[in-house]
């Protein structure tokens, strides 16, 4: 039986927007000020010092969480929320609204997927932004349904200044003063967030011990979990038969490389090397027949700018020699009997610095490390990094590619939402939303075989899947006209994505079809260029026709008319507008979308 049918999907976009407006007017914008709780407890310099020492001395732990919800565990995931703007507050308000209107989806746990503080992290564990951007948002007492829910927090690239903007700013003299950049970088910046987890906070439950002592325990009581959970750079959490791995994907490839070097040269292996520790704990979880969830910042399959060489970002996490070594290693087979000898050669004799590679596809590097080399195949992977929300699942793919069920939930609040640029493998894509929002994963923690996945956006979109495949759950269509229109639109969108994929692959350089120079060729031919706006519009169509509750015929015509008239490209070598309209004309009594819409308006206009 399909577990999706036991849920009660809703489409309350107008209700949510009313709710959001009430919060941002009568209640003070969810909330721009520090909460009263945060002001109750002053942080002393000695407390900050002790928290930093505890963070520096911390080690990874596996935490067995006891006394948690038994029959169902709801995990809300989002990332890229580290902005001081309003969008993170709107996402928090959305989650609180979902919890109120659909209590069966009320989160029992948050996993925040990194980029917690733009642009380059925080310089201290008591930085005011912990209050204004974390406790004052997700712990705001106004949000009565979620303010006490604990948050497992992982690191993103911006939390250590591992990005192009920070790199370029570093060349400016006195940039710390002139550009107000973080004086700390990489690990030293990241460790401030670990230290914050060690600091006492007014929102903490009554622990009767220091938080550093609390995080040394192997069993943690769910009601006593503090709000901010980052006890180390990486850590793991067990909820009965579900084990969550919170990874630091910023350094995972580097950690893996140096674990291989120790293996090849017979050096002592650091048991706290992340790649070593995660692999050991993963193998133990599989031995105990647990389901596994990987939470990390970087996707293993990306649809945005990082899918192409112009957007690759391995240079932010690895030096050229490390990139070169990894690229060589990842062409080898770890199952080859000569694998160790091959590694020895690479680590001892490959000193040609004239052929160093300066960049690579970091997403692909991580995917190969996990699946091909470490033989890890988590049940579900939750990531961010791309400022959008999408669901990828290739479980039904007949190719030998590793099976990946991945939720990218990077719409947590960065104001610069990112476009979809890669159009291959559309048969494995469940959805793409260039919106702010979140995903809620639900499972039975005692038998977490299947996850129900609900995706929400702040503008009212709601899509529902399971981890079995990428097919959206949708109730039975009762109106044959609506059913036919849905088939027409989805078929046209499939063809449009095939067209865009071919154009992106043929573009020079690859992936540049949408840039201004490529589009000049269309203008020269007196043809309308294809724009990323049209891609967004296409996905709005797909998401509308894949929502759990089918719209009425009237709503379908009105929405489709609006979206089709938002397309900038209506007459080109491949026009989504023309393809849909031609099929509608053929299938619906020779009527175009304009005629259908006019008939609808006439029917509702008093005579």
């Amino acid at each position: 039986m399909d577990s999706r049918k036991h849920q009660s999907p809703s489409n309350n976009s107008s209700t949510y927007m009313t709710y959001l407006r009430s919060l941002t007017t009568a209640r003070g914008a969810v909330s721009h000020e520090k909460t009263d709780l945060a002001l109750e407890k002053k942080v002393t310099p000695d407390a900050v010092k002790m928290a930093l020492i505890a963070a520096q001395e911390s080690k990874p732990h596996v935490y067995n969480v006891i006394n948690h919800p038994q029959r169902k565990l709801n995990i809300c995931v989002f990332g890229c929320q580290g902005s001081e703007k309003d969008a993170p507050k709107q996402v928090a308000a959305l989650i609180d609204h979902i919890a109120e209107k659909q209590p069966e989806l009320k989160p029992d746990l948050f996993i925040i997927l990194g980029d917690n503080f733009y642009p380059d992290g925080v310089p201290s564990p008591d930085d005011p932004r912990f209050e204004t951007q974390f406790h004052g948002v997700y712990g705001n007492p106004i949000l009565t349904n979620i303010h006490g829910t604990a948050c497992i927090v992982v690191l993103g690239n911006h939390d250590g200044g591992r990005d192009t903007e920070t790199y370029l700013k570093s060349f400016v003299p006195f940039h710390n003063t002139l550009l107000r950049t973080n004086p700390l970088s990489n690990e030293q910046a990241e460790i401030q967030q670990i230290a914050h987890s060690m600091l006492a906070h007014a929102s903490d439950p009554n622990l009767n011990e220091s938080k550093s002592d609390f995080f040394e325990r192997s069993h943690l009581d769910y009601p006593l979990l503090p709000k901010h959970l980052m006890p180390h750079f990486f850590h793991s959490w067990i909820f009965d038969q579900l084990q969550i791995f919170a990874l630091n994907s910023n350094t995972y490839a580097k950690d893996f490389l140096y674990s291989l070097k120790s293996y090849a040269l017979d050096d002592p292996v650091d048991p706290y090397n992340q790649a070593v520790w995660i692999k050991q704990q993963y193998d133990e979880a599989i031995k105990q027949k647990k389901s596994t969830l990987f939470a990390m910042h970087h996707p293993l399959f990306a649809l945005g700018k990082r899918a192409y060489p112009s957007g690759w970002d391995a240079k932010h996490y690895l030096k050229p020699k490390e990139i070169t070594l990894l690229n060589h290693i990842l062409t080898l087979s770890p199952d080859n009997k000569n694998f160790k000898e091959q590694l020895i050669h690479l680590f001892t004799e490959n000193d040609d610095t004239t052929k160093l590679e300066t960049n690579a596809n970091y997403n692909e590097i991580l995917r190969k490390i996990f699946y091909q080399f470490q033989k890890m195949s988590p049940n579900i992977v939750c990531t961010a990094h791309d400022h959008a929300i999408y669901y990828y699942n290739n479980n039904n793919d007949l190719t030998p590619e590793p099976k990946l069920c991945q939720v990218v939930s990077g719409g947590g609040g960065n104001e610069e939402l990112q476009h979809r640029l890669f159009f291959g493998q559309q048969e494995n894509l469940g959805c793409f939303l260039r919106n702010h929002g979140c995903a809620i994963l639900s499972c039975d923690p005692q038998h977490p075989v299947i996850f129900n996945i609900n995706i929400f956006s702040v503008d009212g979109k709601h899509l529902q899947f399971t981890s079995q495949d990428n097919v959206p759950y949708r109730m039975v269509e009762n109106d044959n006209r609506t059913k036919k229109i849905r088939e027409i639109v989805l078929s046209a969108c499939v063809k449009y994505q095939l067209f865009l994929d071919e154009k992106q692959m043929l573009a020079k350089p690859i992936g540049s079809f949408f840039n201004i120079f490529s589009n000049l060729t269309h203008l020269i031919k007196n043809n309308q260029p294809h724009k990323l706006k049209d891609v967004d519009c296409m996905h709005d169509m797909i998401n509308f026709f894949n929502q759990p509750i089918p719209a009425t015929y009237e709503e379908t015509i009105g929405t489709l008319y609006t979206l089709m008239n938002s397309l900038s490209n209506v007459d080109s070598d491949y026009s989504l507008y023309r393809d849909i309209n031609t099929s509608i004309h053929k299938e619906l009594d020779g009527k175009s979308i304009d005629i259908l819409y006019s008939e609808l308006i006439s029917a509702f206009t008093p005579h």
Side-chain angles (χ1 to χ4, degrees):
M1 183 177 291
D2 192 337
S3 59
R4 291 176 286 201
K5 296 181 181 178
H6 293 285
Q7 299 200 31
S8 303
S10 66
N11 188 16
N12 296 319
S13 58
S14 59
T15 306
Y16 164 67
M17 296 308 292
T18 302
Y19 171 78
L20 184 58
R21 282 193 292 270
S22 73
L23 288 172
T24 54
T25 53
R27 297 183 181 180
V30 194
S31 153
H32 289 285
E33 303 87 22
K34 292 183 181 179
T35 63
D36 292 339
L37 272 177
L39 298 174
E40 288 177 6
K41 187 172 288 189
K42 301 293 184 181
V43 178
T44 66
D46 283 346
V48 171
K49 181 179 178 180
M50 294 302 294
L52 281 168
I53 291 172
Q56 290 162 353
E57 295 178 350
S58 67
K59 297 290 187 292
H61 285 271
V62 176
Y63 299 104
N64 280 275
V65 181
I66 58 176
N67 299 323
H68 58 78
Q70 291 296 312
R71 292 187 177 181
K72 187 179 183 183
L73 185 68
N74 292 325
I75 305 170
C76 182
V77 299
F78 59 86
C80 302
Q81 80 295 342
S83 165
E84 297 182 273
K85 305 294 185 181
D86 282 341
K89 304 176 183 68
Q90 293 172 357
V91 172
L94 166 68
I95 301 167
D96 188 72
H97 176 70
I98 294 166
E100 179 180 345
K101 298 301 180 182
Q102 299 185 65
E104 73 278 7
L105 293 178
K106 179 179 178 181
D108 304 302
L109 180 71
F110 287 106
I111 302 179
I112 299 181
L113 298 164
D115 280 3
N116 307 313
F117 298 99
Y118 290 111
D120 53 7
V122 287
S124 67
D126 61 338
D127 189 284
R129 284 181 290 174
F130 280 107
E131 295 302 329
T132 58
Q133 292 178 227
F134 179 76
H135 294 287
V137 178
Y138 311 108
N140 192 328
I142 290 174
L143 305 179
T144 56
N145 299 289
I146 67 168
H147 78 276
T149 306
C151 304
I152 294 174
V153 187
V154 303
L155 292 162
N157 60 302
H158 280 276
D159 295 313
R162 304 173 192 265
D163 62 281
T164 300
E165 179 185 347
T166 302
Y167 173 73
L168 294 175
K169 285 180 178 178
S170 69
F171 291 99
V172 178
F174 310 108
H175 59 89
N176 293 147
T177 302
L178 294 177
L179 303 179
R180 299 177 64 187
T181 57
N182 190 346
L184 305 177
S185 62
N186 296 349
E187 184 176 309
Q188 286 307 308
E190 293 162 350
I191 208 167
Q192 307 306 312
Q193 296 189 44
I194 301 172
H196 182 75
S197 278
M198 305 297 175
L199 276 177
H201 190 268
S203 65
D204 290 341
N206 186 14
L207 299 178
N208 296 319
E209 61 184 332
S210 70
K211 288 169 80 172
S212 58
D213 287 342
F214 177 78
F215 286 121
E216 287 297 313
R217 295 179 176 272
S218 60
H219 289 72
L220 301 181
D221 198 344
Y222 174 81
L224 295 181
L225 291 178
K227 185 70 176 179
H228 189 273
L229 301 174
M230 190 193 288
H232 190 59
F233 295 100
F234 50 94
H235 32 98
S236 186
W237 305 77
I238 295 175
F239 293 79
D240 287 338
Q241 286 299 108
L242 173 65
Q243 186 157 352
I244 298 169
F245 291 85
L247 280 64
N248 179 10
S249 53
N250 293 330
T251 64
Y252 199 94
K254 184 189 290 282
D255 295 336
F256 172 73
L257 178 64
Y258 287 100
S259 72
L260 282 186
K261 185 175 183 180
S262 296
Y263 163 71
L265 304 183
D266 293 324
D267 291 337
V269 177
D270 179 4
Y272 298 121
N273 174 294
Q274 179 180 199
V276 172
W277 190 85
I278 292 291
K279 171 61 174 169
Q280 289 175 340
Q281 302 307 324
Y282 173 85
D283 286 347
E284 183 62 26
I286 297 304
K287 182 180 177 181
Q288 296 178 15
K289 299 183 178 179
K290 288 183 168 60
S291 292
T292 55
L293 183 157
F294 279 18
M296 52 196 280
H297 186 63
H298 297 83
L300 302 182
F301 174 83
L303 290 176
K305 62 183 180 180
R306 299 173 186 93
Y308 299 107
S310 60
W312 288 353
D313 59 351
K315 62 187 178 182
H316 297 313
Y317 319 109
L318 298 160
K319 297 176 182 177
K321 187 169 184 178
E322 294 168 336
I323 292 173
T324 306
L325 273 170
L326 264 175
N327 280 343
H328 281 303
I329 290 168
L330 295 178
T331 63
L332 306 177
S333 170
D335 302 320
N336 189 309
K337 64 179 181 180
N338 297 320
F339 180 58
K340 186 170 184 178
E341 287 73 16
Q342 293 170 324
L343 289 178
I344 293 171
H345 172 75
L346 287 173
F347 282 115
T348 60
E349 300 179 29
N350 190 18
D351 292 327
D352 187 357
T353 58
T354 64
K355 297 180 180 179
L356 294 182
E357 299 170 49
T358 58
N359 209 354
N361 186 332
Y362 197 63
N363 310 95
E364 185 177 331
I365 287 174
L366 291 173
R367 186 169 70 247
K368 286 184 176 180
I369 289 172
F370 289 160
Y371 287 91
Q372 183 178 336
F373 282 78
Q374 293 196 293
K375 312 294 185 186
M376 297 192 299
S377 183
N379 295 80
I380 192 165
V381 178
C382 298
T383 74
H385 204 33
D386 286 348
H387 303 165
I389 307 171
Y390 54 94
Y391 177 53
Y392 174 90
N393 188 322
N394 67 348
N395 281 343
N396 292 333
D397 192 337
L398 299 179
T399 68
E401 284 294 310
K403 300 311 174 193
L404 171 63
C405 174
Q406 175 183 267
V407 176
V408 175
S409 189
N414 188 300
E415 56 271 24
E416 296 181 11
L417 291 166
Q418 294 174 349
H419 293 278
R420 180 184 175 191
L421 294 173
F422 180 72
F423 300 94
Q425 297 197 46
Q426 63 162 305
E427 68 277 6
N428 298 324
L429 184 66
C431 66
F432 183 94
L433 291 77
R434 187 172 171 264
N435 297 102
H436 294 116
C438 67
I440 298 176
L441 283 56
S442 306
C443 69
D444 177 351
Q446 298 179 31
H447 305 282
V449 178
I450 299 173
F451 293 82
N452 287 309
I453 301 165
N454 282 271
I455 292 173
F456 296 91
S457 68
V458 296
D459 63 350
K461 297 183 182 73
H462 176 204
L463 295 162
Q464 191 172 307
F465 304 88
T466 77
S467 56
Q468 293 173 299
D469 54 40
N470 57 33
V471 179
Y473 169 68
R474 185 171 170 86
M475 292 182 176
V476 176
E477 205 96 43
N478 292 319
D479 191 315
N480 287 330
R481 297 170 299 173
T482 304
K483 184 178 181 180
K484 175 56 68 176
I485 292 171
R486 178 175 185 261
E487 291 171 353
I488 289 170
V489 172
L490 294 183
S491 176
C493 290
V494 167
K495 288 189 283 184
Y496 191 52
Q497 290 174 77
L498 290 171
F499 164 80
L500 293 177
D501 183 42
E502 180 182 9
K503 291 296 184 180
Q504 284 284 60
M505 292 296 112
L506 294 175
K508 304 292 184 184
I510 188 172
S512 63
F513 174 65
F514 288 100
N515 70 27
I516 186 170
F517 301 106
S518 295
N519 275 309
L520 282 175
T521 60
H522 293 277
L523 294 174
I524 292 169
K525 295 176 183 178
N526 297 317
N527 216 339
Q528 293 177 327
H530 294 267
K531 297 181 179 179
L532 287 168
K533 169 189 171 185
D534 294 344
V535 176
D536 294 340
C537 198
M538 175 193 70
H539 281 296
D540 284 342
M541 292 181 189
I542 295 171
N543 295 330
F544 174 78
F545 283 105
N546 283 339
Q547 60 188 338
I549 302 176
T552 63
Y553 173 76
E554 291 76 17
E555 185 181 0
T556 297
I557 294 299
T559 301
L560 183 58
Y561 174 83
T562 300
L563 290 173
M564 287 181 65
N565 280 277
S566 298
L567 290 167
S568 58
N569 191 323
V570 298
D571 186 22
S572 71
D573 50 355
Y574 188 86
S575 166
L576 181 60
Y577 179 96
R578 189 171 61 188
D579 191 27
I580 293 174
N581 219 15
T582 300
S583 297
I584 287 177
H585 185 274
K586 179 180 178 181
E587 298 290 338
L588 296 178
D589 302 324
K591 298 177 181 178
S592 66
I593 186 65
D594 291 339
I595 293 174
L596 293 174
Y597 183 71
S598 296
E599 290 178 349
L600 185 66
I601 294 299
S602 298
F604 284 92
T605 301
H607 296 289

